[in-house]
Structure formats: C-alpha cells, structure tokens
C-alpha cells in the first residue's frame, strides 16, 4: 500500500508509453482500490476500537496512547521523546477539514528543534466535541505519556502556543502542516486511512531525525535567530510538494 500512487503511476506509465491512460482519468478508480485495502470505515466515535493492528508502528511500537468516549490520542515513543525534550515551545492547532466525518476536530501538536531548524509533529488527536474537559484531558494525557521519555528529571514549564493566540508566527507553525494534510485529503478521510498516513508521516520524521542526530546533516553556517529560523522553515514547508 502506498500513499503516493501518482509517483508510482508516473514511473510505470513511462515504461508503457502511449498505451497507458492519463492518471487523471483513472485517479478515482485507483483511490477506490486503495480504500478497499482498509477495514470497514468507522461510522461513530463509539465504534473506534481500543485495540487494532493499525495502532502499531513499523518499529512495533504503540501509536495510540489514550481513548475515552470523547477523545483518542496518537503519539509514538519518538514523538513523546520530542515533546518531552524539546518543549520550550509547543505549537498547537486544530483542523476540521481532515477530521473523520464522525468527529469534531483533528488536533495537532508540533515542536521546534532548533539545532536542525525543523518542526516535528509530536501528537495527533481526534476529538468528538469541543468541551473544555476534552481539551484538558488531551493535554494531561499527552504530558503524562511524554514524561516517560524525559532525558532528565528536571521539571520545567511547557509553553503551549495555541491557534487562537494572536501571534501570526505561532499560527503558521502548525497551520502549514494542516494545509499539508488538507492537500493529502481533499475530502474527509476514512479513519484507518488517516491513521495509516499519519504513521507513514511519523516514520519519515523519525528517519529524518535519526539521520540528523547521526551527523549526516550539517547545520547551515549562517546563524539566524529562533524566530527567523521558524519563519524560513514555514515558508519552505508551504512550498513543499504535496502528495497527489
């Protein structure tokens, strides 16, 4: 199963030549065939299973960390580590467009890793409603899980920057990722397809971080302030080639 069918199609069509139809003419059929590979779609929040093979990462780690009647939270150990150890500024935002039909919102947290000039997603949650208690539980459970992966025992304050804040930079830090998801999912996604793609994205981030920490990526010689670095990163992210 691949989340970039057009890339594969282009490679195959070049070999087939003129006998191959245009991707646009068979795109819907390809998407339907991909969707058939997933389990039956979830129709209500209460139907979300507590256990599923889709909650396992490629590294055989748990992706789903919490579920109740109003909320389900996904955070891999890698994402929890980032959340816990790069917590100077955590950016948060919610999107309605890529939330499954049965839910209210997809809520995302991201953190900025200054030495690599990178933003990494650190949790994804599906919310049934907008109750204050739901958000309180969300942050409580994310922080509780992340505390398991602290590299030190020093307790420090986590600064959350939410989408309703006035800082334009704060909004863009997570909204750029939301726009990216919106382009992957032009329509509200199937539950299992959403989880599958979020895991694929997590794996890409994991591999990227591993390469950088092993010294295969050199930091830029020019020194920017943290604000400048995030602004540059956001612009680069906006210009990133979206999946088709």
């Amino acid at each position: 199963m691949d989340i970039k069918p057009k890339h594969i199609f282009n490679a195959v069509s070049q070999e087939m030549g003129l006998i191959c139809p245009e991707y646009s003419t068979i795109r819907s059929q390809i998407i339907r065939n991909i969707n058939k590979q997933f389990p039956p779609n979830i129709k209500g929040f209460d139907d979300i299973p507590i256990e599923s093979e889709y909650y396992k990462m490629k590294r055989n780690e748990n992706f789903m960390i919490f579920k109740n009647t109003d909320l389900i939270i996904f955070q891999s150990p890698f994402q929890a580590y980032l959340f816990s150890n790069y917590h100077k500024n955590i950016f948060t935002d919610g999107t309605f467009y890529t939330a499954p039909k049965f839910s209210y919102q997809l809520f995302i947290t991201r953190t900025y890793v200054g030495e690599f000039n990178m933003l990494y997603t650190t949790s994804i949650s599906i919310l049934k409603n907008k109750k204050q208690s739901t958000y309180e539980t969300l942050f409580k459970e994310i922080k509780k899980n992340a505390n398991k992966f602290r590299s030190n025992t020093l307790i420090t304050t986590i600064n959350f920057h939410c989408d309703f804040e006035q800082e334009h930079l704060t909004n863009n830090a997570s909204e750029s990722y939301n726009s990216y998801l919106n382009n992957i999912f032009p329509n509200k996604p199937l539950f299992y397809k959403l989880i599958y793609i979020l895991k694929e994205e997590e794996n890409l981030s994991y591999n990227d971080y591993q390469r950088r920490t092993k010294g295969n990526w050199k930091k830029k010689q020019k020194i920017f302030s943290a604000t400048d670095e995030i602004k540059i990163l956001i612009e680069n992210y906006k210009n990133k080639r979206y999946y088709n």
Side-chain angles (χ1 to χ4, degrees):
M1 193 185 304
D2 197 283
I3 61 175
K4 299 177 287 186
K6 186 176 181 182
H7 295 179
I8 296 177
F9 180 86
N10 288 341
V12 174
S13 62
Q14 288 179 4
E15 296 181 5
M16 295 179 64
L18 296 176
I19 63 173
C20 185
E22 290 289 333
Y23 175 78
S24 58
T25 63
I26 61 172
R27 179 178 180 275
S28 296
Q29 181 180 346
I30 292 176
I31 292 176
R32 284 196 299 271
N33 289 337
I34 291 176
N35 289 341
K36 288 179 181 179
Q37 300 179 54
F38 295 100
N41 192 30
I42 299 295
K43 296 183 178 180
F45 212 92
D46 294 338
D47 297 329
I48 298 176
I50 297 178
E51 296 182 357
S52 171
E53 61 179 315
Y54 280 83
Y55 297 164
K56 282 288 186 180
M57 306 297 300
K58 288 184 177 180
R59 303 182 296 276
N60 200 32
E61 300 168 336
N62 291 327
F63 190 41
M64 194 272 280
I65 64 166
F66 179 82
K67 180 187 179 298
N68 65 10
T69 56
D70 298 319
L71 171 71
I72 182 168
I73 304 173
F74 298 94
Q75 185 183 55
S76 70
F78 165 65
Q79 291 172 330
Y81 169 82
L82 292 178
F83 186 98
S84 181
N85 292 282
Y86 296 93
H87 55 262
K88 183 177 180 181
N89 290 293
I90 301 290
F91 302 99
T92 72
D93 193 25
T95 176
F96 307 99
Y97 301 106
T98 54
K101 287 183 178 180
F102 60 81
S103 63
Y104 168 71
Q105 186 183 53
L106 191 71
F107 193 86
I108 299 163
T109 63
R110 310 198 78 207
T111 190
Y112 175 65
V113 180
E115 59 261 42
F116 303 140
N117 190 29
M118 289 291 295
L119 283 166
Y120 292 96
T121 300
T122 51
S123 73
I124 307 98
S125 304
I126 302 175
L127 283 65
K128 182 180 180 180
N129 53 54
K130 58 178 180 180
K131 295 178 181 178
Q132 181 177 342
S133 59
T134 301
Y135 290 98
E136 290 175 350
T137 301
L138 187 158
F139 288 118
K140 175 185 175 182
E141 293 299 327
I142 291 175
K143 288 191 286 185
K144 183 172 72 174
N145 186 63
N147 281 336
K148 303 173 186 176
F149 299 89
R150 281 189 181 277
S151 58
N152 58 66
T153 57
L154 180 65
I155 299 176
T156 55
T157 301
I158 297 177
N159 297 316
F160 286 106
H161 299 281
C162 300
D163 62 348
F164 46 79
E165 292 182 350
Q166 297 300 315
E167 299 178 33
H168 182 66
L169 174 61
T170 296
N171 293 344
N172 280 344
S174 285
E175 286 180 359
S176 59
Y177 185 71
N178 287 347
S179 297
Y180 171 63
L181 289 178
N182 290 342
N183 277 271
I184 295 179
F185 298 113
N187 301 310
K188 285 185 172 292
L190 303 177
F191 174 78
Y192 288 106
K193 185 175 182 180
L194 172 65
I195 304 309
Y196 174 81
I197 290 182
L198 292 177
K199 290 194 303 180
E200 289 292 305
E201 289 296 310
E202 187 275 352
N203 194 56
L204 291 174
S205 296
Y206 174 84
N207 291 334
D208 175 85
Y209 183 83
Q210 291 300 314
R211 287 194 298 269
R212 292 174 189 269
T213 54
K214 290 178 180 177
N216 294 335
W217 295 66
K218 295 182 179 179
K219 290 192 294 183
K220 296 180 179 179
Q221 296 297 316
K222 187 176 180 180
I223 299 176
F224 299 97
S225 68
T227 300
D228 289 336
E229 288 180 334
I230 296 176
K231 286 181 178 178
I232 292 170
L233 177 60
I234 290 170
E235 290 304 314
N236 290 340
Y237 203 91
K238 286 180 178 179
N239 294 327
K240 182 177 180 180
R241 185 176 182 180
Y242 297 123
Y243 292 137
N244 293 301

Short mmCIF file of all heavy atoms in Angstrom, two decimals, residues 91-93 110 119 162-163 165 167-179 230-231 233-235 237-238:
data_model
loop_
_atom_site.label_atom_id
_atom_site.label_comp_id
_atom_site.label_asym_id
_atom_site.label_seq_id
_atom_site.Cartn_x
_atom_site.Cartn_y
_atom_site.Cartn_z
N PHE A 91 3.76 24.07 19.56
CA PHE A 91 2.73 24.73 18.76
C PHE A 91 1.53 23.80 18.60
O PHE A 91 1.70 22.60 18.34
CB PHE A 91 3.29 25.10 17.38
CG PHE A 91 4.49 26.00 17.45
CD1 PHE A 91 5.78 25.49 17.33
CD2 PHE A 91 4.33 27.36 17.65
CE1 PHE A 91 6.88 26.31 17.40
CE2 PHE A 91 5.43 28.19 17.72
CZ PHE A 91 6.71 27.68 17.60
N THR A 92 0.35 24.33 18.77
CA THR A 92 -0.87 23.52 18.66
C THR A 92 -1.86 24.16 17.70
O THR A 92 -1.89 25.39 17.55
CB THR A 92 -1.55 23.35 20.03
OG1 THR A 92 -2.15 24.59 20.42
CG2 THR A 92 -0.56 22.90 21.08
N ASP A 93 -2.63 23.32 17.06
CA ASP A 93 -3.68 23.83 16.17
C ASP A 93 -4.67 22.71 15.90
O ASP A 93 -4.33 21.53 15.97
CB ASP A 93 -3.07 24.33 14.85
CG ASP A 93 -4.07 25.14 14.04
OD1 ASP A 93 -4.99 25.71 14.65
OD2 ASP A 93 -3.94 25.20 12.82
N ARG A 110 3.03 20.31 17.66
CA ARG A 110 4.31 20.26 16.96
C ARG A 110 5.36 20.96 17.80
O ARG A 110 5.04 21.85 18.60
CB ARG A 110 4.22 20.94 15.59
CG ARG A 110 3.05 20.49 14.74
CD ARG A 110 3.25 20.85 13.28
NE ARG A 110 4.16 19.92 12.65
CZ ARG A 110 4.94 20.22 11.59
NH1 ARG A 110 4.90 21.43 11.09
NH2 ARG A 110 5.73 19.32 11.06
N LEU A 119 10.56 21.58 12.28
CA LEU A 119 9.35 21.36 13.07
C LEU A 119 8.95 19.89 12.95
O LEU A 119 8.92 19.34 11.85
CB LEU A 119 8.21 22.24 12.56
CG LEU A 119 8.24 23.72 12.95
CD1 LEU A 119 7.25 24.50 12.10
CD2 LEU A 119 7.92 23.89 14.42
N CYS A 162 -1.28 28.24 21.21
CA CYS A 162 -2.50 27.71 20.60
C CYS A 162 -2.92 28.52 19.38
O CYS A 162 -2.50 29.67 19.20
CB CYS A 162 -3.64 27.69 21.62
SG CYS A 162 -3.27 26.66 23.06
N ASP A 163 -3.80 27.93 18.57
CA ASP A 163 -4.19 28.56 17.32
C ASP A 163 -5.03 29.82 17.52
O ASP A 163 -5.20 30.59 16.59
CB ASP A 163 -4.95 27.56 16.42
CG ASP A 163 -6.25 27.08 17.06
OD1 ASP A 163 -6.44 27.33 18.26
OD2 ASP A 163 -7.05 26.47 16.34
N GLU A 165 -4.20 32.15 19.61
CA GLU A 165 -3.34 33.24 20.01
C GLU A 165 -3.18 34.22 18.86
O GLU A 165 -3.39 33.89 17.70
CB GLU A 165 -1.96 32.72 20.44
CG GLU A 165 -2.02 31.89 21.73
CD GLU A 165 -0.66 31.42 22.16
OE1 GLU A 165 0.29 31.57 21.37
OE2 GLU A 165 -0.53 30.89 23.27
N GLU A 167 -0.36 35.62 17.83
CA GLU A 167 0.93 35.60 17.15
C GLU A 167 0.81 34.90 15.81
O GLU A 167 0.52 33.73 15.73
CB GLU A 167 1.98 34.89 18.02
CG GLU A 167 2.19 35.57 19.37
CD GLU A 167 3.20 34.82 20.21
OE1 GLU A 167 4.13 34.25 19.62
OE2 GLU A 167 3.05 34.82 21.43
N HIS A 168 1.09 35.66 14.75
CA HIS A 168 0.96 35.12 13.39
C HIS A 168 1.92 33.96 13.18
O HIS A 168 1.59 32.96 12.55
CB HIS A 168 1.24 36.22 12.38
CG HIS A 168 1.09 35.79 10.96
ND1 HIS A 168 -0.13 35.41 10.42
CD2 HIS A 168 2.00 35.66 9.95
CE1 HIS A 168 0.03 35.08 9.14
NE2 HIS A 168 1.32 35.22 8.85
N LEU A 169 3.13 34.09 13.72
CA LEU A 169 4.12 33.04 13.56
C LEU A 169 3.66 31.75 14.20
O LEU A 169 3.80 30.67 13.63
CB LEU A 169 5.45 33.50 14.18
CG LEU A 169 6.58 32.45 14.23
CD1 LEU A 169 6.94 32.02 12.81
CD2 LEU A 169 7.79 33.01 14.94
N THR A 170 3.09 31.85 15.40
CA THR A 170 2.61 30.66 16.11
C THR A 170 1.55 29.94 15.29
O THR A 170 1.58 28.72 15.15
CB THR A 170 2.01 31.08 17.47
OG1 THR A 170 3.05 31.63 18.26
CG2 THR A 170 1.40 29.88 18.18
N ASN A 171 0.62 30.67 14.74
CA ASN A 171 -0.43 30.06 13.93
C ASN A 171 0.16 29.30 12.75
O ASN A 171 -0.18 28.16 12.47
CB ASN A 171 -1.39 31.13 13.42
CG ASN A 171 -2.18 31.76 14.56
OD1 ASN A 171 -2.24 31.23 15.65
ND2 ASN A 171 -2.78 32.90 14.28
N ASN A 172 1.06 29.94 12.02
CA ASN A 172 1.62 29.34 10.81
C ASN A 172 2.40 28.07 11.08
O ASN A 172 2.47 27.17 10.25
CB ASN A 172 2.52 30.34 10.08
CG ASN A 172 1.73 31.33 9.25
OD1 ASN A 172 0.56 31.11 8.98
ND2 ASN A 172 2.37 32.41 8.87
N ALA A 173 3.01 27.98 12.27
CA ALA A 173 3.84 26.83 12.58
C ALA A 173 3.08 25.52 12.47
O ALA A 173 3.61 24.52 12.02
CB ALA A 173 4.43 26.98 13.99
N SER A 174 1.82 25.51 12.89
CA SER A 174 1.01 24.30 12.78
C SER A 174 0.05 24.35 11.61
O SER A 174 -0.30 23.32 11.04
CB SER A 174 0.22 24.07 14.08
OG SER A 174 1.07 23.61 15.10
N GLU A 175 -0.39 25.54 11.23
CA GLU A 175 -1.35 25.65 10.13
C GLU A 175 -0.73 25.18 8.81
O GLU A 175 -1.43 24.68 7.94
CB GLU A 175 -1.85 27.08 10.01
CG GLU A 175 -2.84 27.45 11.11
CD GLU A 175 -3.32 28.88 10.99
OE1 GLU A 175 -2.86 29.57 10.07
OE2 GLU A 175 -4.14 29.30 11.82
N SER A 176 0.58 25.35 8.66
CA SER A 176 1.22 24.88 7.44
C SER A 176 1.11 23.36 7.33
O SER A 176 0.92 22.82 6.24
CB SER A 176 2.70 25.30 7.41
OG SER A 176 3.38 24.79 8.53
N TYR A 177 1.20 22.66 8.46
CA TYR A 177 1.04 21.21 8.46
C TYR A 177 -0.41 20.84 8.19
O TYR A 177 -0.70 19.87 7.49
CB TYR A 177 1.49 20.64 9.81
CG TYR A 177 1.48 19.14 9.86
CD1 TYR A 177 2.42 18.39 9.14
CD2 TYR A 177 0.55 18.44 10.63
CE1 TYR A 177 2.42 17.01 9.19
CE2 TYR A 177 0.53 17.06 10.68
CZ TYR A 177 1.48 16.35 9.96
OH TYR A 177 1.47 14.97 10.00
N ASN A 178 -1.34 21.62 8.73
CA ASN A 178 -2.75 21.37 8.46
C ASN A 178 -3.05 21.51 6.98
O ASN A 178 -3.80 20.72 6.40
CB ASN A 178 -3.62 22.34 9.26
CG ASN A 178 -3.66 22.02 10.73
OD1 ASN A 178 -3.24 20.93 11.15
ND2 ASN A 178 -4.14 22.94 11.54
N SER A 179 -2.47 22.53 6.35
CA SER A 179 -2.67 22.73 4.91
C SER A 179 -2.10 21.54 4.14
O SER A 179 -2.68 21.10 3.14
CB SER A 179 -1.99 24.02 4.46
OG SER A 179 -2.58 25.14 5.08
N ILE A 230 12.33 29.80 12.29
CA ILE A 230 10.98 29.24 12.17
C ILE A 230 10.27 29.84 10.97
O ILE A 230 9.57 29.14 10.23
CB ILE A 230 10.17 29.48 13.46
CG1 ILE A 230 10.84 28.73 14.62
CG2 ILE A 230 8.74 28.99 13.30
CD1 ILE A 230 10.18 28.98 15.96
N LYS A 231 10.44 31.14 10.74
CA LYS A 231 9.81 31.78 9.58
C LYS A 231 10.30 31.16 8.28
O LYS A 231 9.52 30.89 7.36
CB LYS A 231 10.09 33.28 9.59
CG LYS A 231 9.30 34.06 10.63
CD LYS A 231 9.63 35.54 10.56
CE LYS A 231 8.80 36.32 11.57
NZ LYS A 231 9.13 37.76 11.55
N LEU A 233 11.58 28.18 7.90
CA LEU A 233 11.09 26.81 7.85
C LEU A 233 9.65 26.75 7.38
O LEU A 233 9.28 25.90 6.56
CB LEU A 233 11.22 26.17 9.23
CG LEU A 233 10.70 24.74 9.39
CD1 LEU A 233 11.45 23.81 8.45
CD2 LEU A 233 10.87 24.28 10.82
N ILE A 234 8.84 27.66 7.88
CA ILE A 234 7.42 27.68 7.50
C ILE A 234 7.28 27.94 6.01
O ILE A 234 6.49 27.29 5.31
CB ILE A 234 6.66 28.74 8.31
CG1 ILE A 234 6.54 28.29 9.77
CG2 ILE A 234 5.26 28.98 7.73
CD1 ILE A 234 6.02 29.36 10.69
N GLU A 235 8.04 28.89 5.48
CA GLU A 235 7.97 29.19 4.06
C GLU A 235 8.41 27.99 3.23
O GLU A 235 7.80 27.68 2.20
CB GLU A 235 8.85 30.41 3.73
CG GLU A 235 8.29 31.71 4.27
CD GLU A 235 6.88 31.98 3.78
OE1 GLU A 235 6.64 31.82 2.56
OE2 GLU A 235 6.02 32.32 4.61
N TYR A 237 8.16 24.90 4.13
CA TYR A 237 7.13 23.88 4.29
C TYR A 237 5.94 24.17 3.39
O TYR A 237 5.36 23.27 2.79
CB TYR A 237 6.69 23.81 5.74
CG TYR A 237 6.08 22.48 6.11
CD1 TYR A 237 6.88 21.46 6.62
CD2 TYR A 237 4.73 22.22 5.93
CE1 TYR A 237 6.35 20.24 6.96
CE2 TYR A 237 4.19 21.00 6.27
CZ TYR A 237 5.02 20.01 6.78
OH TYR A 237 4.47 18.80 7.10
N LYS A 238 5.59 25.45 3.27
CA LYS A 238 4.47 25.81 2.42
C LYS A 238 4.75 25.48 0.96
O LYS A 238 3.85 25.17 0.19
CB LYS A 238 4.16 27.31 2.55
CG LYS A 238 3.49 27.69 3.86
CD LYS A 238 3.22 29.17 3.91
CE LYS A 238 2.49 29.56 5.18
NZ LYS A 238 2.25 31.03 5.24
#
